[in-house]
Amino acid sequence: MKGTLSITILLVLLSGSLYASAKSLTSPKNQSINSGINSNMMSSGTVHKLYQPYPSSGNNNKLNRDEIITYQEIFENGNDGWSFADGTIPPNLFHNYNSPTDGWVWWMGDPALATGSNIGRYHEKQYLVLDTPAIQVSSSNALLTFTLNYNVESPVGATTPYDGWDACNIRISTDGGSIWSILVGTPAYNVLSAYSFGYEHREGTNIPGWGGTSNGWLNASFDLGAYVGQDVIIRFAFASDDFPETSDVSSMFGMMVDDIHLGSFTNDSSSSIGFTASSLVPVGGQLWHIAEVADAPSPTHAMICQNDAGSYNPSMLNYLVSPSIQLPEFGDIKADFQIKGSFSNFGTIPDINNWSWEISPDNGTNWYSMMNPYHDPVNIDWITDAPSTWRSVTEAYISYFDGLISDYSGLMVKFRIFFETNTNVHGTGIMIDNFTITNILRIPPPVNLSATLSNSNVHLNWMAPNPAILLHFLTSTNENWSDYVSSADAYAMKIDNPGSTPTQLHGINFMLYRQNSMPIVCTPSIHVWANEAGFPGTELIVIHGITEIDNYAWKNVDVTNSNIMIPSDGSIFVGISDINPGDVNAQGLLCDATSPISNSFVNIGGEWGSLGIIYSGLVNCGLSATIYDADPTAPVLTGYKVFHSLDPVGTFTEIADIIDTTTHTYTDQFPAVGIMNYYKVTGVYGINQSYPSSIASIFVFGADYSEILYDDNEADQGYNAGSTHSMVVKFDPDIPYGVSCEIAYAKVFVNTVGIGSLIIRVYNANGINSTPGAELLLFSYPHTSLVQGWNIIPMLLYAPETTGSFYIGILDYAGSSAVGLDTDSHNRSWKNLSSTGPWQQITEGNLMIRAIIRSPVGNDDLVEIAPEASLYNYPNPFNLETTIKYNQHNTGTVKIAIYNIKGQMIKELKNGYENTGVYSLTWDGTDSQNNAGPSGIYFIRMVFDGKTMTRKIMLVK
């Protein structure tokens, strides 16, 4: 059925903070939000840039950015340009003003806020009054007259119990100013209950006044016949609330009066004798200062708003104002700081304690809440509590502050933080530290780094970084929501490709609404259909059971892995179904009635029709699509840096600075011999540098090292001998008679990592019938250092030496890792089921245990290459990337490529001439265009020496 969305919709903020409560949820001024609240966010049929710099999956991730601190204040060296202001002290009062057009008048506006032809505006949260001297009301003339001119916030949109916002009125006192009564006369008040007087300044409801504009000077008259014979004081009063800024309508100058007459008293505004101008906002005192704080993050000092007693004052409005800060020219810009504090909240709104954070894009002229930094027509502007321990503002209040101010890139800005209190004082106030502005640059790293070995030189190869990208929304709705719908079988929106080349679809987005701010109760399905004759046709994908849907908020579903392409100059349809099971009257898909282009469709009984035909008066529904686009503001790649280390989690040392962006190779002629070498490459973008590529590792044997192996690199299954049992591989080194060799490393293929350490044993082959004899070495290698695949394990303490055959084995026990077993060969592996029993040959295959030996005489021919070419990968299945190992038993051209399950080649990894040896490269799951592939089965195919080898692998995300 079609639901009716009320004329106002309560804005439901995203959850995420245990601390925060926002004014918009409770303040009468903001309790109701116009249904067109988000109309500024998307324009019909256009592309809208989103503030989501890091897609959750696909071609871009955390490695595609760099965070550079461009400004930081830790308050360890004084104020450094930060200043303080007591907001309870008014910046201006009623004063005599010589108007260029009207001569002398009484005016409560601030000429410092003048812009262009406008003489000035007024400030927020003001309660300014102008009192006349005491005047005796005579029976001969009891008529108060004056001229009046006002231009204040329009009363439109005020909600019960208020019918106006900012306002001005006339009051009278007969007791010297202790008690005041509101006068009623001509012109009549057009506001009967002003929010500014009643709510902001706590006078209660039914305080009348003038709101909006008088459209010039008016003659005002008030009959004071009831006060004849009394001395009275006349008060001209003006009150403003905290929203909107008068910069929204710069012509709002406030209130002016002139030519005041009562009996024999007259004033033409040129003289202030006898008049009293004042502010009725209580002065609370300014408390911001730098002090030592024991747990300050910076680490010894912080900026605190606290009095000498360790608490705060009643009736404060304390501002902490930053110096002018130049924002970067490009990239995403984020501001943040640490906060801690405590304060009471025993009152009711607006009589509560609160704090907030604001930004000025014009160097201090206008201020906007960081909850709404671009001054969209939404009012959310303060927080009613503080964390008891130091927290990042954007983490502790993630639903309210994201800190992103990228639209102000290149501007000079200021920030300010305020703390406002009522008369209830209980707590320590608030403290801030480590105010930081971070420039988040989209600077992707190089990809597909691989390392190969040739004559003790390590050759590195990589690919250029994937382009930096932005997310874009494609939609036809203007989000001026008026109704929600739920009765159809499915809903769809046509999505046009904005470019002339095919574009991948990365996300489907929808917005559901449920009455009374109730949680969404359905688990809908999302769809993509081909465009067939202008209607949804063949279904390309469907994803069922979408969960975690917030009421009245865009839900984003990532479909990157589905590899859906929007044709060049073409379109597709995105859609939703199953949105309302058993909850017909409460929730549905939001729709607008005013967007100029209709691209939404409805399916009922298998037939598609226009949304506007099925639901009269509606135009588009709440659906959109996400695509990626190249970031034109991203820094330009200027080169690469190559780094080397002997520890993958240790410090890497720069070994090359490459300034040619077309060079994607480097040869390390001086790697460490006899040990694993680790490499990574970064992209250089002018003065900035990307995160590193994935690490490439390679063991460098050197002239006196060799690897003895009897497996074919193919782990056909995992193998365990059984608890307390031993398993070994026999090695026959090819060394001259009588010459000893050093057993330097054990190389073990771990098929499944266990929960226990790997217990390594080395034996002489001097047992019965050359079985394992004397134990040369026994040690434990921690399971936390093991990885699935090959592990090169150094012989700890000392490397045993032998002049003949030897064994390397593993003592198995409950929880041990499973060792790879090559079932294509045997006769080299043995097991022992008891400490005193005989050794038995493992007939199922050869254990994938190898020996790396070092011969002091140096023999270049010691490496024993398997008799046939071999191919394997690890890990398998894999998530982010997999390492592909292969060996060649003679020189020649080798081609290695990845194929999908349909037999289509999706990426060529190697095609060139190579010498005899063992090589490795990596695949990160992308195709030849560097688009991430979906989860599923793939094949590695190696063509070498006229033969083809294929290995099945699985990508799991």
Side-chain angles (χ1 to χ4, degrees):
M1 69 173 288
K2 177 178 177 181
T4 300
L5 191 67
S6 82
I7 193 169
T8 55
I9 298 176
L10 178 64
L11 176 63
V12 180
L13 297 177
L14 297 175
S15 61
S17 169
L18 297 177
Y19 306 112
S21 59
K23 178 180 178 182
S24 65
L25 300 181
T26 50
S27 166
K29 182 168 184 181
N30 307 294
Q31 189 172 2
S32 296
I33 307 296
N34 185 275
S35 62
I37 181 173
N38 292 318
S39 61
N40 63 299
M41 294 182 65
M42 295 187 187
S43 55
S44 178
T46 62
V47 178
H48 173 71
K49 184 186 294 185
L50 286 180
Y51 268 113
Q52 188 180 347
Y54 326 127
S56 57
S57 63
N59 293 346
N60 201 16
N61 52 40
K62 184 177 179 182
L63 296 183
N64 284 4
R65 60 179 173 86
D66 197 9
E67 298 183 4
I68 301 166
I69 294 176
T70 59
Y71 175 86
Q72 187 170 54
E73 179 55 67
I74 61 176
F75 302 112
E76 296 296 314
N77 300 301
N79 293 359
D80 286 338
W82 289 70
S83 60
F84 318 115
D86 185 348
T88 60
I89 299 176
N92 65 285
L93 299 170
F94 269 95
H95 57 279
N96 305 110
Y97 173 70
N98 192 359
S99 167
T101 57
D102 302 308
W104 286 102
V105 297
W106 284 103
W107 179 39
M108 39 60 60
D110 189 350
L113 300 180
T115 56
S117 60
N118 297 308
I119 62 172
R121 306 189 301 273
Y122 58 86
H123 296 271
E124 299 174 349
K125 298 186 177 183
Q126 299 296 294
Y127 193 162
L128 305 178
V129 297
L130 175 68
D131 296 344
T132 68
I135 306 170
Q136 188 176 63
V137 181
S138 66
S139 58
S140 61
N141 187 356
L143 185 66
L144 169 66
T145 63
F146 56 90
T147 56
L148 170 68
N149 190 4
Y150 61 87
N151 192 333
V152 300
E153 183 181 2
S154 169
V156 174
T159 56
T160 305
Y162 303 102
D163 63 350
W165 305 117
D166 299 346
C168 45
N169 59 29
I170 308 299
R171 307 184 184 207
I172 189 169
S173 175
T174 60
D175 61 358
S178 296
I179 299 175
W180 295 90
S181 302
I182 297 175
L183 289 172
V184 178
T186 302
Y189 296 125
N190 61 347
V191 171
L192 301 181
S193 183
Y195 175 90
S196 55
F197 284 120
Y199 186 86
E200 182 69 38
H201 299 290
R202 306 167 192 176
E203 290 187 334
T205 58
N206 303 317
I207 305 298
W210 295 295
T213 177
S214 63
N215 292 312
W217 288 95
L218 301 175
N219 292 320
S221 61
F222 292 79
D223 184 0
L224 303 187
Y227 300 95
V228 170
Q230 299 184 62
D231 289 338
V232 300
I233 301 174
I234 305 300
R235 168 169 286 179
F236 302 91
F238 166 82
S240 61
D241 55 46
D242 63 344
F243 186 86
E245 300 274 358
T246 57
S247 59
D248 293 339
V249 183
S250 58
S251 60
M252 292 196 303
F253 58 81
M255 178 186 189
M256 292 180 178
V257 295
D258 197 8
D259 296 327
I260 305 168
H261 296 278
L262 177 55
S264 61
F265 177 84
T266 181
N267 180 271
D268 66 358
S269 305
S270 63
S271 172
S272 61
I273 296 175
F275 281 77
T276 302
S278 58
S279 167
L280 299 189
V281 178
V283 176
Q286 198 293 115
L287 299 182
W288 283 110
H289 65 283
I290 294 176
E292 286 193 36
V293 177
D295 61 347
S298 60
T300 60
H301 290 76
M303 183 69 75
I304 69 174
C305 193
Q306 192 177 82
N307 59 26
D308 292 340
S311 185
Y312 53 89
N313 298 346
S315 303
M316 295 192 323
L317 180 55
N318 281 191
Y319 288 99
L320 172 65
V321 184
S322 78
S324 298
I325 300 172
Q326 178 69 52
L327 296 182
E329 292 286 344
F330 50 79
D332 290 295
I333 306 167
K334 182 177 182 179
D336 199 2
F337 60 90
Q338 299 280 313
I339 187 170
K340 172 186 173 181
S342 67
F343 50 85
S344 63
N345 258 324
F346 301 125
T348 58
I349 293 176
D351 187 21
I352 60 172
N353 299 319
N354 64 92
W355 70 270
S356 194
W357 177 25
E358 299 175 318
I359 184 174
S360 171
D362 49 15
N363 207 26
T365 301
N366 298 293
W367 294 94
Y368 307 139
S369 170
M370 281 292 289
M371 294 182 184
N372 182 24
Y374 308 122
H375 208 37
D376 294 333
V378 184
N379 182 32
I380 311 168
D381 55 6
W382 35 260
I383 303 295
T384 58
D385 55 9
S388 58
T389 58
W390 287 103
R391 293 286 304 277
S392 156
V393 165
T394 59
E395 292 177 0
Y397 299 94
I398 189 172
S399 297
Y400 306 102
F401 299 117
D402 62 16
L404 287 172
I405 50 173
S406 306
D407 276 357
Y408 292 142
S409 60
L411 296 183
M412 188 78 74
V413 301
K414 285 187 175 183
F415 297 88
R416 71 181 183 185
I417 299 153
F418 72 74
F419 182 37
E420 184 176 26
T421 67
N422 61 9
T423 57
N424 296 311
V425 175
H426 180 74
T428 60
I430 64 172
M431 310 177 183
I432 75 161
D433 203 358
N434 290 6
F435 190 97
T436 304
I437 295 178
T438 305
N439 191 196
I440 307 166
L441 300 174
R442 297 182 184 89
I443 46 177
V447 295
N448 292 348
L449 176 66
S450 64
T452 56
L453 187 65
S454 176
N455 297 324
S456 298
N457 293 333
V458 176
H459 298 293
L460 301 176
N461 290 269
W462 62 89
M463 295 179 64
N466 295 319
I469 60 173
L470 290 172
L471 273 72
H472 287 93
F473 253 178
L474 301 179
T475 189
S476 293
T477 178
N478 61 7
E479 294 189 76
N480 190 15
W481 310 124
S482 60
D483 293 286
Y484 61 96
V485 293
S486 57
S487 59
D489 298 324
Y491 301 88
M493 176 173 284
K494 182 182 176 185
I495 302 297
D496 295 316
N497 186 346
S500 59
T501 58
T503 299
Q504 185 176 7
L505 175 69
H506 288 276
I508 300 174
N509 317 298
F510 60 87
M511 187 182 290
L512 300 184
Y513 172 79
R514 192 174 179 207
Q515 293 177 351
N516 303 318
S517 303
M518 296 291 289
I520 299 297
V521 294
C522 61
T523 54
S525 303
I526 60 169
H527 307 258
V528 179
W529 296 280
N531 183 351
E532 296 176 1
F535 291 94
T538 302
E539 187 173 72
L540 303 178
I541 62 167
V542 58
I543 302 176
H544 299 290
I546 305 301
T547 60
E548 300 179 2
I549 304 169
D550 290 323
N551 189 357
Y552 192 46
W554 283 104
K555 172 65 177 180
N556 310 108
V557 181
D558 191 339
V559 297
T560 298
N561 294 336
S562 298
N563 288 326
I564 299 296
M565 302 298 293
I566 308 176
S568 57
D569 297 317
S571 59
I572 58 171
F573 287 84
V574 300
I576 188 170
S577 63
D578 307 321
I579 63 175
N580 206 9
D583 199 13
V584 175
N585 297 312
Q587 72 182 18
L589 182 67
L590 282 167
C591 296
D592 74 68
T594 59
S595 53
I597 300 175
S598 175
N599 272 324
S600 293
F601 297 84
V602 176
N603 186 293
I604 297 179
E607 296 293 329
W608 287 99
S610 172
L611 175 75
I613 294 176
I614 307 300
Y615 300 111
S616 178
L618 299 183
V619 180
N620 283 305
C621 58
L623 287 166
S624 65
T626 305
I627 65 171
Y628 295 168
D629 197 8
D631 182 0
T633 67
V636 177
L637 180 72
T638 57
Y640 299 98
K641 289 183 182 293
V642 182
F643 298 86
H644 172 263
S645 178
L646 300 180
D647 181 357
V649 296
T651 301
F652 278 72
T653 302
E654 181 181 332
I655 60 174
D657 186 0
I658 300 171
I659 60 174
D660 182 3
T661 58
T662 64
T663 298
H664 301 145
T665 62
Y666 177 75
T667 298
D668 182 8
Q669 298 179 352
F670 306 101
V673 176
I675 196 170
M676 188 72 76
N677 289 252
Y678 301 91
Y679 298 89
K680 59 186 180 182
V681 180
T682 62
V684 179
Y685 298 79
I687 62 173
N688 303 308
Q689 191 174 166
S690 75
Y691 278 80
S693 65
S694 58
I695 294 176
S697 61
I698 192 167
F699 189 92
V700 180
F701 293 106
D704 52 354
Y705 283 85
S706 61
E707 181 177 7
I708 309 175
L709 61 147
Y710 302 105
D711 61 82
D712 66 356
N713 270 341
E714 182 80 22
D716 300 304
Q717 67 183 64
Y719 187 86
N720 289 97
S723 182
T724 71
H725 300 167
S726 296
M727 47 186 172
V728 296
V729 173
K730 183 180 181 182
F731 297 94
D732 297 318
D734 184 11
I735 55 177
Y737 178 78
V739 176
S740 65
C741 69
E742 178 186 276
I743 307 171
Y745 297 89
K747 188 174 180 180
V748 181
F749 188 97
V750 174
N751 195 74
T752 305
V753 178
I755 61 174
S757 300
L758 203 64
I759 299 178
I760 305 293
R761 281 176 160 174
V762 182
Y763 303 89
N764 267 331
N766 59 1
I768 298 174
N769 296 324
S770 298
T771 58
E775 186 176 272
L776 302 177
L777 185 63
L778 169 68
F779 68 94
S780 177
Y781 191 73
H783 77 281
T784 54
S785 299
L786 295 173
V787 296
Q788 186 181 29
W790 285 110
N791 295 260
I792 297 179
I793 302 171
M795 298 299 174
L796 303 180
L797 301 180
Y798 69 96
E801 294 186 0
T802 181
T803 57
S805 299
F806 63 93
Y807 291 83
I808 297 179
I810 295 172
L811 174 63
D812 208 352
Y813 62 95
S816 292
S817 299
V819 177
L821 185 71
D822 168 24
T823 60
D824 297 327
S825 61
H826 64 283
N827 297 329
R828 281 288 173 177
S829 300
W830 304 78
K831 62 183 177 181
N832 192 315
L833 305 184
S834 71
S835 59
T836 59
W839 287 91
Q840 305 174 26
Q841 190 175 83
I842 298 175
T843 59
E844 297 95 322
N846 274 328
L847 296 172
M848 296 181 69
I849 300 175
R850 300 177 179 180
I852 298 175
I853 64 172
R854 181 175 183 269
S855 173
V857 298
N859 186 344
D860 292 339
D861 300 322
L862 287 180
V863 177
E864 297 188 21
I865 301 297
E868 298 292 339
S870 63
L871 172 72
Y872 79 100
N873 76 297
Y874 65 90
N876 189 19
F878 72 98
N879 174 242
L880 296 178
E881 64 177 30
T882 185
T883 299
I884 300 169
K885 291 274 191 176
Y886 61 98
N887 79 288
Q888 299 168 231
H889 58 280
N890 54 39
T891 58
T893 299
V894 61
K895 178 180 178 181
I896 298 177
I898 304 296
Y899 291 79
N900 62 22
I901 199 168
K902 297 179 181 179
Q904 301 165 321
M905 186 178 75
I906 65 171
K907 192 166 193 175
E908 186 174 78
L909 303 179
K910 177 71 179 180
N911 190 353
Y913 183 87
E914 284 185 335
N915 294 318
T916 301
V918 179
Y919 299 90
S920 69
L921 47 82
T922 60
W923 181 50
D924 63 358
T926 62
D927 61 17
S928 57
Q929 283 76 43
N930 292 324
N931 295 317
S935 298
I937 295 173
Y938 294 85
F939 297 91
I940 310 171
R941 183 173 297 170
M942 181 174 77
V943 179
F944 173 71
D945 199 19
K947 298 180 180 180
T948 299
M949 298 187 68
T950 302
R951 177 172 176 82
K952 182 172 68 175
I953 61 176
M954 181 174 290
L955 172 61
V956 179
K957 294 186 177 180

